[in-house]
Amino acid sequence: MIQRSTRFGHLLRSFRDAPSSSSSKIGGYLLASTASSPLKQACVSTNRDDEFANLDWDNLGFGMVPTDYMYIMKCSKGESFEHGQLSNFGNIELSPASGVLNYGQGAYEGTKAYKKEDGRLLLFRPDQNAIRLKNSAERMCMPSPSIDQFVDALKQTVLANKRWVPPPGKGSLYIRPLIMGSGEILGLGAAPEYTFLIYVSPVGNYFKEGLAPLNLYVEEEFDRASRGGTGGVKSITNYAPGLKALTRAKNRGFSDVLYLDSTNKKNLEEVSSCNIFVVKGNAISTPATNGTILAGITRKSIIDIARDHGYQVEEGTITVDELIHADEVFCTGTAVGVAPVGSITYQGTRMEFKTGAQTVSQQLYFTLEAIKKGLIEDKKGWIVEIDQ
Ligand code: COI
């Protein structure tokens, strides 16, 4: 268990006793004044020079662990993001009339940082997240940072929180960049102000199953995305509508929901939190990104790695009926990684797939993880090291 309550108790006690300060310095970056938030203030008195934060590193799950710093940058409608800064992690202030709260004007990203044995900090393809965030922001009528601004902000945030990056082999630091319409807007329209924000949390496995195979349920009542909608980008509005199906599936003992296309209710789309792949012999197929499916960065990387391993990879239409012939099924995503699927239940029939040692998904998983963690040579230029 993560020692969250103990840490909070300590933070809140520290807050009450802490003198107010207007700025502090870390990793060469000057931090903003943080007098407005109890948590921000509380963080100032924790020991940030420790190599590792005081966490139960052996039992990380995928839950929010507040860390020391976050990154914030604002701009007005019609302008560009210019200057961002780190500030102590804590609550932010939003008008009740903000665009994001009222009309869901927001988009997010997810990526991870890893710590090597020698203390080096690695990012995986951060430019791809920057590009995807730009696409998402554009779809949601929001400005976005440039690729360089985005990657620089990511590096600053990870470096400032480096004691929260799990020891090698224990997990990763999940990085959550967000853009939201933070300005007030009463009638439907684009907000007058935007906030780009990055926060982080140390994480382990996404699913409670850990690395055990997932059991998916094919959802037929609810759709994840529709043609012309936002399914192909990481709009915040894509996720809450799936909670009903997800909760129902979990209550029935399934790990997650597999969605079908909303037009024919026949073709595989994606799982609530990840993309899906189907393996038959030497052939690997995955639904094509045609506007309703998220262009996952792990998806794209696994396609490249699989081709390097000699598999024939095809992006196209996969009907739910074809699953019956599959040898293996697996999911990919930043949070999820590469997760084997043990079974898929469709219209009361449970189809089972090969999992475990000697599977294609395991081979691809090991290669991807080894690249991300700097354990094998990165021949593709995917890894970005953070200068310390
Ligand atoms: C990610 O994989 O980073 C995501 O954004 C999925 C989310 C449901 C955790």
Side-chain angles (χ1 to χ4, degrees), residues 91-327:
N91 295 344
I92 56 168
E93 266 185 21
L94 271 182
S95 163
S98 62
V100 65
L101 289 182
N102 292 264
Y103 299 121
Q105 195 186 16
Y108 81 88
E109 271 304 316
T111 184
K112 284 174 172 172
Y114 294 86
K115 191 174 270 175
K116 286 196 69 172
E117 290 290 351
D118 59 8
R120 284 156 62 197
L121 296 170
L122 309 180
L123 296 171
F124 182 72
R125 310 188 77 178
D127 56 320
Q128 296 297 310
N129 294 95
I131 293 167
R132 192 170 63 181
L133 188 61
K134 192 167 261 322
N135 293 337
S136 305
E138 201 272 319
R139 176 66 180 81
M140 302 297 282
C141 291
M142 301 189 292
S144 55
S146 69
I147 296 179
D148 285 350
Q149 280 177 318
F150 178 93
V151 175
D152 179 59
L154 231 56
K155 288 178 175 173
Q156 287 190 42
T157 315
V158 172
L159 192 55
N161 289 295
K162 80 174 183 185
R163 72 192 184 108
W164 298 97
V165 186
K170 307 281 185 192
S172 59
L173 189 72
Y174 185 77
I175 309 167
R176 175 53 68 82
L178 280 171
I179 300 181
M180 65 186 113
S182 45
E184 293 177 346
I185 186 93
L186 194 56
L188 180 58
E193 182 208 68
Y194 293 88
T195 300
F196 170 69
L197 185 146
I198 305 177
Y199 67 89
V200 297
S201 178
V203 296
N205 290 319
Y206 182 74
F207 288 108
K208 72 170 172 31
E209 286 83 349
L211 295 175
L214 307 178
N215 297 302
L216 302 181
Y217 179 80
V218 179
E219 173 60 43
E220 290 189 273
E221 185 184 357
F222 299 113
D223 300 321
R224 177 189 168 273
S226 57
R227 274 178 54 196
T230 56
V233 296
K234 248 174 136 49
S235 160
I236 61 169
T237 55
N238 288 346
Y239 294 86
L243 293 178
K244 193 156 182 150
L246 181 64
T247 308
R248 193 167 60 181
K250 288 199 170 180
N251 287 342
R252 292 175 182 163
F254 295 100
S255 328
D256 209 328
V257 170
L258 171 57
Y259 287 98
L260 301 178
D261 74 289
S262 62
T263 313
N264 307 303
K265 298 273 187 187
K266 262 200 118 22
N267 305 325
L268 305 189
E269 293 251 305
E270 63 180 84
V271 178
S272 345
S273 50
C274 43
N275 296 114
I276 190 157
F277 285 76
V278 176
V279 183
K280 176 75 187 159
N282 192 49
I284 303 181
S285 48
T286 189
T289 49
N290 55 5
T292 56
I293 289 164
L294 187 76
I297 295 160
T298 310
R299 174 188 179 280
K300 183 167 160 168
S301 309
I302 282 293
I303 291 174
D304 280 5
I305 291 172
R307 287 189 174 134
D308 289 352
H309 277 86
Y311 293 102
Q312 189 193 323
V313 185
E314 199 179 306
E315 298 176 67
T317 302
I318 309 168
T319 67
V320 64
D321 297 329
E322 287 173 58
L323 283 174
I324 201 87
H325 306 296
D327 298 334

